Amino acid sequence: MIQHARVVTLEDLADATTVVIPVIFDDEGALIAEAIPANVAGHDIARTMDAPWCSARGLSATAGSSLARAFFHGPTLLFVSLGSTYNQVDNFRMAGAAAVQRGEGDVVVFLLPTDAIEEPDQAAQAVVEGALLASYDFKSTDEDRSFDVVALGVPLPSVADHDDVAQGVGRAVVVANAVNWAKRLIDTPPNELSPKELAKRFAQHLGEDDDVQVEIWTESKIRDERLGGLLGVGAGSAEPTRLVYALYQPPGARAHVALVGKGITFDSGGLSIKSGEGMMAMKTDMSGAAIVMATLSIIAKLALPVRVTAIAPLSENLSGDRAMRPGDVLTTRNGMSIEVLNTDAEGRLVLADALALAVEANPDAIIDVATLTGAQTVALGDEVGALFASTDELAHLLERASERSGEMLWRLPLVAAYEKHIESDIADMKNLGKSGKAGAISAALILQRFTGGRPWAHLDIAGPGRADATRGYVTKGATAFGARTLVEFLTQVAVVDADSSRDVDADDGSWADDEGLVDR
Ligand code: BES
Ligand code: MN
Ligand code: ZN
């Protein structure tokens, strides 16, 4: 797995084992930017290549397609397609992925023609993100390979372009390493990663970041704080339940976003037990938790001026002799009761408590991420996440963020008429909607009841949270889908907030004291 990337110069090509040359396609064939040297490592580089000649060798207008030329001496030249434009950011991720997947040797260097590109910082970030994300491998963490970028211009890149590239590369390293960290946690077998162990790993990782405080709530604290939904779900497991409460509070930040992530370390379904097939991938049911913690860590490492609270309820849904039963009624943090009619609809129970806690932190917006329903996958498949939002503004911000991240989202409605599907005869609600109908929506409607009327969005990533095969920079297994979108979203929030001139009284930080946060 590659963990480092740098900006290097043309002189450094002497050490390269692969030099990557991006191409775009028009009707005639492949075009190579003016800024790419006419001679690379002793080989003449033409400005155009015939389309049939290219496609016969695998290089086409499909972004990420490639053609390798190896020689007796010197580096392999790898031509990689960016599609038909230099201005599709996701195509740069595909190209970065192709570079590490099909590049040879330990030193892969990507030539980036900045004057052909509108946003060189975005392109550089995307290339490196694609490369580092694609190099993720659960089984091997060796760091022998390096991935470097050369910023090129005609005759030289401007200082501004060079700095943009350096910044983009730096951001990509932070983002991709945190996303790969989340993927590794999600892929870790559930016997190695109990709620207790996961809480410990979160606290260890986040503890390294400036301006971050992390608190682990044990079962007695969770009971004292009356998180009845979370306790109910964890009751059937010998592994104790945990809740991780993390706070990134940079000086001067005004906007405050609370993130909540579902953290079921294994979902057997509980007494409403799943089939053997149905539980094979259920170690990934803590994806949301890993994603929100990775996001907070990225925002802290980038030192963005936005306050982030991340809350992860962690438990294991098993069917031990203390397990909650279909028919049980649980009382949640905000006093609302839920009749549990299916113990496999456990995500909404743990999220109910965590969302209620998030409301108490008084954020400007709350966003939760959860592998919540099989119905989400039925509706949108495994490459598109479901977005629910209580306000159009929040929905649009997340849609824009998703366009930038390449993580596709599609908004589904919070259908008020379906509230009747979650009514209970004996409690405030039941944890099941109408059988076979709009299951992703009824789950979202339950969550909404715990958001205190605040701007709130919910990402149901049951499908895209896991990939059954590698495609481009999305590697097989855990994807941590949503983390990069949240980073884009929070980046926008921080920028807009810093630009706005509204006056807000200086925050004395007393909020943290009110909540009784302590470092452990
Ligand atoms: N963790 C599952 C949802 C899931 C399914 C995620 C497949 C990823 C892949 C969730 O806890 C669950 O079991 N949901 C049930 C809800 C139902 C009982 C109302 C489902 O979708 O079947
Ligand atoms: Mn379940
Ligand atoms: Zn689940």
Side-chain angles (χ1 to χ4, degrees):
M1 203 166 83
I2 306 173
Q3 295 189 345
H4 303 284
R6 294 171 310 161
V7 179
V8 299
T9 63
L10 278 176
E11 281 93 78
D12 296 302
L13 287 191
D15 300 325
T17 52
T18 297
V19 178
V20 186
I21 300 170
V23 305
I24 61 165
F25 277 80
D26 70 2
D27 295 342
E28 309 282 295
L31 306 174
I32 290 170
E34 209 188 333
I36 303 290
N39 189 288
V40 174
H43 305 287
D44 291 338
I45 308 295
R47 293 302 98 175
T48 59
M49 295 192 287
D50 194 44
W53 184 88
C54 288
S55 67
R57 290 161 181 80
L59 185 65
S60 71
T62 302
S65 63
S66 65
L67 163 58
R69 310 288 278 165
F71 305 94
F72 188 64
H73 283 297
T76 295
L77 301 186
L78 184 71
F79 296 90
V80 173
S81 175
L82 289 171
S84 58
T85 167
Y86 288 105
N87 296 301
Q88 278 286 322
V89 75
D90 208 47
N91 289 352
F92 282 98
R93 292 192 193 95
M94 303 291 274
V100 298
Q101 284 158 350
R102 297 196 279 281
E104 287 170 10
D106 289 343
V107 185
V108 178
V109 181
F110 196 105
L111 304 184
L112 195 68
T114 58
D115 49 358
I117 300 167
E118 273 164 30
E119 295 183 297
D121 65 321
Q122 298 293 320
Q125 179 174 348
V127 163
V128 174
E129 265 181 22
L132 269 57
L133 290 173
S135 79
Y136 169 81
D137 179 358
F138 184 79
K139 279 189 173 174
S140 121
T141 51
D142 55 11
E143 292 167 37
D144 298 350
R145 285 184 107 193
S146 73
F147 185 85
D148 299 321
V149 175
V150 182
L152 296 169
V154 188
L156 289 168
S158 68
V159 171
D161 281 354
H162 187 275
D163 289 353
D164 278 355
V165 168
Q167 279 189 9
V169 169
R171 279 201 304 268
V173 169
V174 169
V175 170
N177 282 335
V179 171
N180 284 339
W181 167 77
K183 283 156 67 172
R184 183 167 298 283
L185 285 176
I186 297 164
D187 280 333
T188 299
N191 58 333
E192 274 178 43
L193 203 64
S194 61
K196 186 175 166 183
E197 176 65 19
L198 182 55
K200 202 171 97 191
R201 302 241 188 133
F202 283 157
Q204 270 169 359
H205 188 79
L206 298 174
E208 298 165 8
D209 296 326
D210 289 343
D211 301 321
V212 173
Q213 289 170 277
V214 192
E215 193 177 313
I216 297 176
W217 291 14
T218 58
E219 274 194 0
S220 58
K221 166 83 169 162
I222 292 168
R223 193 165 295 112
D224 288 349
E225 298 289 343
R226 304 179 316 282
L227 307 186
L230 176 57
L231 278 177
V233 172
S237 171
E239 296 291 348
T241 289
R242 292 286 183 269
L243 181 136
V244 174
Y245 198 121
L247 184 58
Y248 166 60
Q249 198 168 15
R254 290 182 301 215
H256 178 194
V257 175
L259 304 175
V260 173
K262 173 177 174 180
I264 303 297
T265 58
F266 181 71
D267 181 11
S268 73
L271 286 172
S272 312
I273 197 162
K274 288 181 184 294
S275 66
E277 175 88 22
M279 64 176 95
M280 281 196 314
M282 282 303 131
K283 68 178 181 184
T284 64
D285 214 20
M286 36 57 76
S287 292
I291 288 161
V292 301
M293 293 304 162
T295 301
L296 184 141
S297 159
I298 293 165
I299 299 304
K301 287 196 167 73
L302 298 177
L304 288 175
V306 52
R307 190 198 293 184
V308 181
T309 295
I311 302 175
L314 309 176
S315 63
E316 187 177 40
N317 190 20
L318 291 187
S319 52
D321 55 7
R322 306 301 296 264
M324 61 179 177
R325 319 151 185 82
D328 281 359
V329 172
L330 306 176
T331 301
T332 62
R333 170 78 180 175
N334 72 1
M336 286 204 262
S337 59
I338 309 180
E339 182 184 11
V340 179
L341 289 179
N342 188 318
T343 62
D344 197 11
E346 85 296 342
R348 55 203 81 184
L349 301 174
V350 305
L351 291 170
D353 281 327
L355 287 166
L357 267 185
V359 170
E360 294 168 35
N362 200 24
D364 301 302
I366 303 173
I367 304 175
D368 76 75
V369 187
T371 46
L372 200 62
T373 67
Q376 184 278 326
T377 317
V378 175
L380 298 172
D382 56 10
E383 296 190 36
V384 181
L387 162 66
F388 294 86
S390 68
T391 74
D392 290 344
E393 191 195 357
L394 193 50
H396 294 152
L397 283 169
L398 284 163
E399 281 168 343
R400 212 169 312 150
S402 124
E403 273 162 32
R404 294 168 76 90
S405 72
E407 295 170 331
M408 284 187 279
L409 293 177
W410 195 258
R411 190 176 180 186
L412 296 182
L414 292 157
V415 182
Y418 296 167
E419 295 276 1
K420 59 181 174 280
H421 296 168
I422 56 173
E423 273 165 22
S424 161
D425 295 334
I426 63 163
D428 292 324
M429 71 199 85
K430 56 179 175 157
N431 77 332
L432 264 188
K434 193 168 176 178
S435 176
K437 308 239 191 264
I441 297 175
S442 47
L445 289 173
I446 292 174
L447 300 187
Q448 187 173 23
R449 294 186 177 197
F450 295 88
T451 59
R454 281 172 195 271
W456 158 75
H458 159 57
L459 304 182
D460 189 341
I461 59 156
R466 218 179 124 266
D468 48 23
T470 294
R471 46 188 152 81
Y473 58 88
V474 179
T475 46
K476 181 176 179 178
T479 62
F481 180 100
R484 288 183 304 102
T485 302
L486 290 176
V487 170
E488 287 290 344
F489 167 80
L490 290 164
T491 304
Q492 290 311 308
V493 168
V495 167
V496 169
D497 196 53
D499 288 351
S500 77
S501 53
R502 75 193 158 93
D503 262 326
V504 176
D505 289 340
D507 195 324
D508 62 3
S510 61
W511 173 84
D513 301 330
D514 292 347
E515 297 299 310
L517 290 187
V518 287
D519 283 324
R520 294 195 217 181

